[in-house]
């Protein structure tokens, strides 16, 4: 089965062709980083305009690289949400037009579900139940996946996403955009014990994440110590590198600590760590160590599949197409689309593993 995936939910226009849900035939990504970096974040109007410019050549390139004709595909999968409305609409409208013209089946895919499927290309098949940590610029969630296509959020961020925290802290320190890769690079030369940040805990005892307090703590530290943000092109000071390492370390401790704690309660057979922040090697290392302690395999996508791409959308879409799911031409973008369709009370879930088979 050959599926075309289309992704345009944020600032990457992407198209990919995937065979049988796990063989990557071609993947094309046009990134808008250059356009948004001077603003220190994504500007929605500029993003949708750029998607409009790029969608046709990106899809064409995916077919050219795959050496596949449009008639040969068996279906089209497109990101329908969550994301920026103007950006999503470009992909959704284009996919609908293509499905109509080619008379091919169409499915809408949740972007977060796509990130979960980004691990299928380079890892053994996922064994269920799985626990997936999805960490990106817009999302930070831990999902329990009792069986394919069933999702329950078991931890979520109460405020900023982890990637957003990396981006905001980088901006605060004058480091540029996107912040994640820059902070990771500086952290390698910094002392992660230099500044003691504590892992945020919820007052109600829930295992949720919170990163906005951490950003405030970094800002307070900068103010109180008189640390100077980096000026254009300057080499960051050792103090900045130490701060980057300390910040990264507490984010990683928070994410991996929660994943490990919930694994001890939910007994997953596979751990998945995906989304843009999954590029981070400190996060990968700590996740591997936790997985070893738990004696469970952990799967990551390679870096080019960690950040937004269309291969993951095609992979998730293939499962839906195979299950007979079809979208009509009334398919619309859903900016706040959620990924949760497995409703079991937390307490009940913890009491017995039998509930996985519901
Ligand atoms: O998945 P993604 O491309 O887009 C969203 O769906 O949000 O994730 C982008 C996010 C950005 O916030 C970026 O700073 C972060 O992923 N990121 C990283 C690293 N590479 C990208 N964060 C930490 N360490 C990295 N190496
Ligand atoms: Zn994403």
């Amino acid at each position: 089965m050959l599926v075309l995936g289309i992704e345009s939910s944020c600032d990457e226009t992407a198209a990919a062709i995937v065979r049988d849900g796990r063989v990557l035939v071609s993947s094309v990504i046009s990134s808008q980083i250059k356009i948004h970096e001077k603003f220190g974040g994504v500007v929605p109007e500029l993003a949708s305009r750029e998607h409009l410019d790029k969608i046709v050549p990106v899809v064409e390139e995916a077919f050219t690289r795959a050496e596949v004709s449009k008639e040969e595909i068996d279906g089209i999968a497109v990101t329908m949400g969550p994301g920026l409305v103007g950006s999503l609409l470009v992909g959704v409208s284009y996919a609908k037009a293509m499905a109509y013209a080619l008379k091919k089946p169409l499915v809408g895919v949740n972007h977060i579900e796509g990130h979960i499927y980004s691990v299928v290309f380079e890892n053994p098949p996922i064994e269920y139940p799985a626990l997936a940590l999805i960490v990106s610029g817009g999302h930070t969630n831990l999902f329990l996946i009792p069986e394919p296509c069933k999702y329950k959020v078991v931890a979520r961020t109460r405020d900023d996403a982890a990637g957003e925290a990396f981006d905001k802290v980088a901006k605060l320190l004058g480091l540029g955009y996107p912040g994640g890769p820059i902070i990771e690079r500086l952290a390698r030369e910094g002392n992660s014990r230099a500044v003691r940040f504590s892992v945020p805990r919820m007052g109600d005892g829930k295992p949720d994440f919170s990163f906005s307090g951490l950003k405030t703590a970094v800002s307070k530290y900068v103010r109180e110590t008189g640390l100077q943000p980096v000026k254009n092109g300057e080499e960051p000071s050792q103090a900045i590198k130490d701060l980057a390492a300390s910040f990264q370390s507490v984010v990683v401790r928070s994410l991996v600590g929660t994943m490990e704690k919930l694994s001890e309660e939910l007994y997953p057979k596979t751990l998945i760590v995906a989304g843009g922040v999954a590029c981070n090697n400190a996060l990968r290392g700590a996740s591997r160590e936790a997985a070893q302690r738990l004696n469970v395999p952990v799967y990551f996508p390679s870096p080019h599949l960690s950040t937004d791409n269309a291969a993951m959308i095609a992979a998730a879409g293939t499962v839906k197409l195979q299950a007979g799911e079809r979208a009509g031409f009334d398919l619309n973008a859903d900016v706040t689309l959620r990924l949760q369709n497995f409703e079991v009370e937390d307490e009940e879930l913890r009491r017995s593993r039998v509930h996985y088979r519901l």
Side-chain angles (χ1 to χ4, degrees), residues 21 25 56 136 152 168 174 217 226 334 340:
V25 185
V56 176
S136 70
K152 178 179 167 63
K168 286 181 175 171
D334 185 345
Q340 169 142 273

Side-chain angles (χ1 to χ4, degrees), residues 237-313:
S237 64
Q238 190 57 43
I240 293 270
K241 292 176 183 170
D242 289 347
L243 185 54
S246 305
F247 164 77
Q248 176 177 275
S249 152
V250 70
V251 173
V252 168
R253 265 185 285 138
S254 165
L255 294 171
V256 178
T258 303
M259 182 168 72
E260 187 164 5
K261 182 174 170 284
L262 287 176
S263 297
E264 283 162 355
E265 295 174 9
L266 300 169
Y267 308 97
K269 289 190 180 146
T270 312
L271 295 177
I272 293 168
V273 180
V277 183
C279 291
N280 188 285
N281 285 301
L283 176 62
R284 285 179 183 235
S287 302
R288 275 196 199 98
E289 285 168 19
Q292 245 167 19
R293 286 191 292 273
L294 294 160
N295 198 22
V296 176
V298 58
Y299 298 164
F300 308 96
S302 61
H304 73 106
L305 291 165
S306 295
T307 48
D308 289 349
N309 64 87
M312 66 187 197
I313 303 302

Side-chain angles (χ1 to χ4, degrees), residues 203-224:
D204 58 11
K206 291 227 168 113
D208 286 344
F209 307 106
S210 167
F211 296 108
S212 80
L214 204 53
K215 176 198 63 196
T216 311
V218 172
S219 147
K220 188 161 170 265
Y221 178 84
V222 169
R223 227 180 20 251
E224 285 174 357

